[in-house]
Amino acid sequence: MLITNNFNRFFWGTFIKDIHSNLKVLRWNNIDFMIYKLDSQGLHDLLKIVTFNNKSLKEMENVEVVKYLEDIRVLLSDNSFTLKIDEEEWQRLLRSCGIEK
Amino acid sequence: MSSKETGVFNILNAIDVGNHIEQKNGLSYLSWAWAWSTVKSIFPKTTYKVYENEQGLNYHHDNKTAWVKVGVTIEDECIEYLPVMDFKNKSIPLSALTSMDVNKAIQRALTKAIARQGLGLYVYAGEDLPESAKYLNEDQTLELESLIAKTGTDKATLLQYYKVRDLKEVDYNHCLAMLNKKLNVDHK
């Protein structure tokens, strides 16, 4: 997908930042990842691994980006973690980034 | 070091191995089976290799003692050499070596090679286990309090950084190293 400033703001500034700042441990496959030991890029790398996504954001189609983000939300939900942005805001942000469902 | 290598190391190094440490003769060990299954579940293409000597034996020797050589490849290969040792961690003379001793050394070398890739490296570095439920003792807390004061660090920001409510819950070794570094920089 085309990485716009809007998307960068949403992905790094809101999405990743929220997880990085507020989630201490991410459990996946009975493995506990200490999120505070990772930087933002490391967290993104980890999220790609645990969602079985081996493409970079640039290589992904819009629909793949949406699926990637949704997979992360499910994983976070399994970890009893809810992103601060609510559903309405989530949809608005996705639209503003041109990655509507 | 490439960014890919850094990525592998950082991800493996961020794994909490606290619940998988085994104690033996006062030393901490990581279960080789757990370490291997963990690495394979995150990086399925990981391979390992036990290097044989020129005679095709799975250990190397200098006619006195023996050692094993094991490599683990994720993005790049990390090789670990480990002496074949007894339960007291003393090298076993070549004449007394058994295949069981070699097998144990290979398993330990495999775990250490995985640690070089990042998983549980702090166990071998002698660091404390960063279990979230593990609290610092009074002396450790006072030491950090003192360094916080000396370096003029904002305690609230520090607690926020570690995502904890109390200083007793921080990763002691990490915090100590960070504050000491800051103290040294300030003095320079």
Side-chain angles (χ1 to χ4, degrees):
Chain A
M1 75 172 289
L2 182 67
I3 308 295
T4 60
N5 285 341
N6 266 353
F7 179 80
N8 266 334
R9 266 197 296 277
F10 160 68
F11 187 75
W12 297 104
T14 305
F15 189 71
I16 292 290
K17 190 178 176 186
D18 188 3
I19 302 168
H20 196 254
S21 307
N22 300 307
L23 181 64
K24 194 171 179 182
V25 175
L26 178 74
R27 172 164 279 211
W28 172 80
N29 266 4
N30 279 330
I31 303 168
D32 290 333
F33 295 93
M34 297 177 285
I35 299 301
Y36 68 89
K37 285 206 162 189
L38 295 167
D39 58 14
S40 298
Q41 183 60 51
L43 176 58
H44 174 44
D45 291 341
L46 174 65
L47 291 173
K48 284 205 297 183
I49 288 169
V50 297
T51 55
F52 304 102
N53 188 340
N54 54 9
K55 288 182 182 174
S56 73
L57 289 167
K58 279 180 189 170
E59 291 167 337
M60 289 184 218
E61 299 294 330
N62 284 10
V63 67
E64 289 176 309
V65 174
V66 172
K67 185 181 179 308
Y68 171 52
L69 298 176
E70 289 293 351
D71 286 348
I72 295 170
R73 289 182 89 195
V74 170
L75 180 71
L76 294 174
S77 169
D78 290 344
N79 278 269
S80 310
F81 181 85
T82 311
L83 289 159
K84 278 183 183 169
I85 45 173
D86 62 19
E87 188 59 32
E88 206 173 301
E89 176 71 354
W90 175 260
Q91 294 303 335
R92 191 191 67 74
L93 284 165
L94 288 180
R95 276 195 302 276
S96 72
C97 302
I99 49 173
E100 229 170 329
K101 272 190 190 174
Chain B
M1 191 181 270
S2 72
S3 60
K4 273 192 170 181
E5 285 174 64
T6 316
V8 169
F9 182 86
N10 287 343
I11 287 170
L12 290 178
N13 200 40
I15 294 173
D16 186 351
V17 301
N19 293 328
H20 306 277
I21 303 276
E22 294 166 6
Q23 297 286 335
K24 210 172 180 182
N25 297 327
L27 294 170
S28 301
Y29 290 94
L30 206 53
S31 151
W32 72 269
W34 179 81
W36 180 248
S37 68
T38 299
V39 168
K40 283 292 276 186
S41 66
I42 301 168
F43 301 107
K45 290 180 181 170
T46 304
T47 57
Y48 78 95
K49 182 177 179 182
V50 179
Y51 286 85
E52 297 178 344
N53 70 2
E54 287 166 357
Q55 288 83 45
L57 296 171
N58 58 355
Y59 62 91
H60 305 257
H61 65 87
D62 56 5
N63 291 321
K64 290 176 189 166
T65 56
W67 63 93
V68 295
K69 180 181 174 184
V70 177
V72 168
T73 305
I74 302 180
E75 297 287 347
D76 285 303
E77 187 179 31
C78 280
I79 293 176
E80 181 69 29
Y81 295 86
L82 196 76
V84 183
M85 297 177 284
D86 61 14
F87 67 96
K88 289 177 184 168
N89 284 344
K90 291 247 171 84
S91 290
I92 299 173
L94 192 60
S95 55
L97 205 67
T98 68
S99 55
M100 198 62 200
D101 297 326
V102 175
N103 187 49
K104 279 183 191 167
I106 288 172
Q107 287 170 348
R108 289 172 72 184
L110 171 65
T111 316
K112 286 190 85 173
I114 292 170
R116 280 183 189 271
Q117 297 276 10
L119 181 66
L121 186 61
Y122 59 83
V123 174
Y124 296 96
E127 289 183 20
D128 250 342
L129 311 181
E131 294 168 54
S132 52
K134 190 173 181 181
Y135 296 120
L136 308 188
N137 63 35
E138 205 170 322
D139 288 344
Q140 289 172 322
T141 314
L142 286 173
E143 189 180 7
L144 293 184
E145 289 276 15
S146 159
L147 280 168
I148 287 168
K150 278 182 192 168
T151 53
T153 305
D154 180 33
K155 191 173 167 183
T157 310
L158 187 89
L159 295 179
Q160 199 180 5
Y161 174 78
Y162 286 105
K163 295 165 192 166
V164 294
R165 289 181 182 171
D166 195 287
L167 195 61
K168 286 182 176 175
E169 297 172 54
V170 302
D171 180 342
Y172 173 72
N173 284 317
H174 187 269
C175 189
L176 188 67
M178 201 168 70
L179 289 170
N180 273 325
K181 194 175 173 185
K182 191 175 177 192
L183 192 65
N184 289 336
V185 169
D186 290 348
H187 276 282
K188 281 176 188 174

